Amino acid sequence: MEKMVIEGGYPLNGRVRVNGAKNAALPIMAACLLIHGTSKLRGIPELTDVKTLCDILNELGVETKKCQDGSLDITVKDESNITAPYDLVRRMRASICVLGPLLGKRGMAKVSIPGGCSIGSRPIDIHLKGIEALGAEVEVKDGYVIATGEKLKGSRVYLGGPYGSTVLGTCNIMMAAVLAEGRTIIENAACEPEVQDLANFLNKAGANISAIGENNLIIDGVDELNGVDYEIIPDRIEAGTIMIAGAITGGNIVLENDASCYLASVIDKLREAGVYIDLRDAVNNSSGYENKGECIVKSDGNIKPINLTTLPYPGMPTDMQAQFTTLLSIANGTSVITERVFPHRFMHIAELNRMGANIMNEDAIAIIKGVSSLSGTTVMASDLRASASLIVAGLAAKGVTEIRRLYHIDRGYERLEDRLANLGAKIWREKE
Ligand code: EPU
């Protein structure tokens, strides 16, 4: 096993390119189950989660081919298998996103129920309610969801849950409905940019999806989808993480292939915390999809305390909560973070406190009393974004930080240490 070693205290300086979005890549790759011919996907990041989904697709008779130009060609070769087995699904909770397209195209799906994880219990009840509304019969047996429905029928379905909309639930029902008979309206659909990207991909392949990005998403069934060439959007969470790394180290960085059009809530809060952000060359359209501009992030390292609440898009992303917790741990005063998407997503706090932070957590609230500095020590990553928050902490801390259980970071950030090192960070991997 490997660990990450960081010698803190070096401001980040320079330019960095934002990679394609993991959470757009995964459902779009799964959507290829619905498609005749080959789809060429561009901008798919090199991540273990992407590799896991390739393994599941291969198991389901789909060929996934990495091309010389970095694109990924996906072609369905054999539609006879409908089972996504536990051994593959357990590696990544997002594997549930094959449920909708398998059912929609093959008339049946048997998908292992993903377990909970360190960010919460993560039920799939709303996904199941959605496919039942389309006429599928659903049985939960021996740890698997077995869904059957030879010809699904469009329907109106409300997909809200106790914590708002569901991202992968919306993706699953959209994918199940795209070849169904008639019109489906998803009420309280998730509006995240990655959900919009999936809808745009499906439309390019021949689907008829409208009101994309709105609360009531409309899907009119079509007979067939065909392979397309598609570039996925940049990763707003990777961009936000690097912005915070720049801010906490008192750096001066420029993000290329910028995702700031999807980061209004993050940019607003960073500015409130005293970080200078300039959006250059951003194409100012309402959907923001043309934005290939640059984002400049500058900070003198003096962070003001702020309060923030995570919410579904366009609110503050829960996937940025841990990184903000780190940033605010060295603010000049007390901040309050309220987690409204995954109320127990606070495993990083104990580790940050081991680095000298002063953070209290009760229920869905973290109270962060800013300290003058963090100090390096050995810490344990518990999930993907918690790992990112510990790396950000290590960059700012005095002394050396070692992060164990590093495999989490490779699930969602491509060669993060190389990219931070290019910006002047002292960071490397070592064998444990
Ligand atoms: N929920 C239910 N029932 C369901 C589905 C969800 O109660 O059937 C609850 C969840 O427990 C949670 C809330 O609804 O409290 C929102 O969960 P959601 O379904 O939106 O999450 P997800 O689709 O499983 C995606 C991202 C997560 C991100 C969340 C929220 C992917 C692959 N994953 O998960 O990303 O945190 O949306 O934005 O898109 C990450 O990248 O690190 C990550 C965890």
Side-chain angles (χ1 to χ4, degrees), residues 140-191:
V140 175
K141 202 174 160 211
D142 304 331
Y144 279 80
V145 175
I146 304 162
T148 326
E150 269 312 319
K151 189 65 195 163
L152 300 177
K153 280 210 167 55
S155 157
R156 183 176 270 269
V157 55
Y158 178 80
L159 286 193
Y163 306 104
S165 51
T166 158
V167 171
L168 289 177
T170 303
C171 293
N172 255 332
I173 308 316
M174 189 192 323
M175 291 188 278
V178 88
L179 296 176
E181 200 181 304
R183 172 169 281 199
T184 297
I185 301 179
I186 301 180
E187 293 176 315
N188 205 343
C191 304

Side-chain angles (χ1 to χ4, degrees), residues 22-24 26-27 93-94 96 119 121-128 161-169 190 192 194 236-237 312 317-319 340-343 345 383-385 411:
K22 166 181 85 81
N23 289 348
L26 298 175
R93 204 198 162 277
I96 192 67
I119 70 172
S121 64
R122 311 195 70 179
I124 55 162
D125 53 318
I126 307 173
H127 300 237
L128 303 188
Y163 306 104
S165 51
T166 158
V167 171
L168 289 177
E192 270 66 5
E194 296 76 17
R236 63 194 167 110
I237 307 303
T318 172
D319 292 342
R340 286 256 164 84
V341 180
F342 290 109
R345 192 177 199 175
D383 74 79
L384 170 57
R385 307 305 170 187
R411 291 189 38 220

Side-chain angles (χ1 to χ4, degrees), residues 46-357:
E46 294 242 1
L47 304 171
T48 44
D49 274 6
V50 166
K51 167 85 176 61
T52 300
L53 189 53
C54 283
D55 290 346
I56 293 175
L57 291 174
N58 297 158
E59 177 81 17
L60 293 168
V62 181
E63 184 183 271
T64 52
K65 198 173 109 209
K66 186 87 199 216
C67 304
Q68 288 223 313
D69 62 1
S71 60
L72 182 68
D73 283 357
I74 304 192
T75 318
V76 177
K77 295 282 186 184
D78 174 2
E79 295 198 315
S80 55
N81 187 15
I82 48 97
T83 303
Y86 175 71
D87 274 343
L88 291 172
V89 172
R90 75 183 166 85
R91 288 201 233 148
M92 178 182 72
R93 204 198 162 277
S95 314
I96 192 67
C97 66
V98 299
L99 176 66
L102 269 183
L103 175 66
K105 186 68 170 53
R106 302 186 186 180
M108 193 171 178
K110 183 174 172 192
V111 180
S112 174
I113 299 174
C117 65
S118 59
I119 70 172
S121 64
R122 311 195 70 179
I124 55 162
D125 53 318
I126 307 173
H127 300 237
L128 303 188
K129 172 184 164 186
I131 54 174
E132 275 175 333
L134 299 179
E137 276 185 28
V138 176
E139 187 189 3
V140 175
K141 202 174 160 211
D142 304 331
Y144 279 80
V145 175
I146 304 162
T148 326
E150 269 312 319
K151 189 65 195 163
L152 300 177
K153 280 210 167 55
S155 157
R156 183 176 270 269
V157 55
Y158 178 80
L159 286 193
Y163 306 104
S165 51
T166 158
V167 171
L168 289 177
T170 303
C171 293
N172 255 332
I173 308 316
M174 189 192 323
M175 291 188 278
V178 88
L179 296 176
E181 200 181 304
R183 172 169 281 199
T184 297
I185 301 179
I186 301 180
E187 293 176 315
N188 205 343
C191 304
E192 270 66 5
E194 296 76 17
V195 179
Q196 298 184 37
D197 208 31
L198 170 66
N200 289 330
F201 167 75
L202 288 168
N203 274 352
K204 195 168 182 193
N208 186 359
I209 304 173
S210 49
I212 296 170
E214 294 179 23
N215 293 122
N216 286 355
L217 184 66
I218 302 171
I219 303 126
D220 287 300
V222 296
D223 291 335
E224 188 176 279
L225 299 177
N226 290 296
V228 285
D229 189 325
Y230 193 80
E231 174 151 17
I232 63 163
I233 57 171
D235 195 313
R236 63 194 167 110
I237 307 303
E238 184 191 80
T241 304
I242 296 173
M243 283 176 174
I244 288 188
I248 201 170
T249 58
N252 182 352
I253 57 173
V254 181
L255 284 90
E256 298 168 1
N257 192 31
D258 171 32
S260 51
C261 52
Y262 322 119
L263 280 172
S265 57
V266 169
I267 290 170
D268 183 61
K269 284 295 170 187
L270 283 175
R271 283 181 173 150
E272 196 183 324
V275 180
Y276 172 86
I277 294 184
D278 184 17
L279 304 178
R280 205 192 272 167
D281 300 334
V283 176
N284 193 9
N285 71 8
S286 60
S287 72
Y289 281 102
E290 301 304 317
N291 189 352
K292 296 279 177 192
E294 294 182 343
C295 174
I296 297 156
V297 182
K298 275 191 222 170
S299 158
D300 59 8
N302 285 313
I303 304 298
K304 294 183 199 153
I306 54 169
N307 298 333
L308 62 88
T309 301
T310 66
L311 289 167
Y313 190 80
M316 171 62 67
T318 172
D319 292 342
M320 287 301 302
Q321 182 258 108
Q323 301 88 316
F324 264 103
T325 306
T326 299
L327 179 71
L328 298 174
S329 71
I330 54 131
N332 310 314
T334 301
S335 307
V336 178
I337 291 187
T338 309
E339 176 55 70
R340 286 256 164 84
V341 180
F342 290 109
H344 305 296
R345 192 177 199 175
F346 285 115
M347 298 283 279
H348 44 286
I349 288 182
E351 301 302 300
L352 290 173
N353 283 347
R354 295 191 61 249
M355 295 179 72

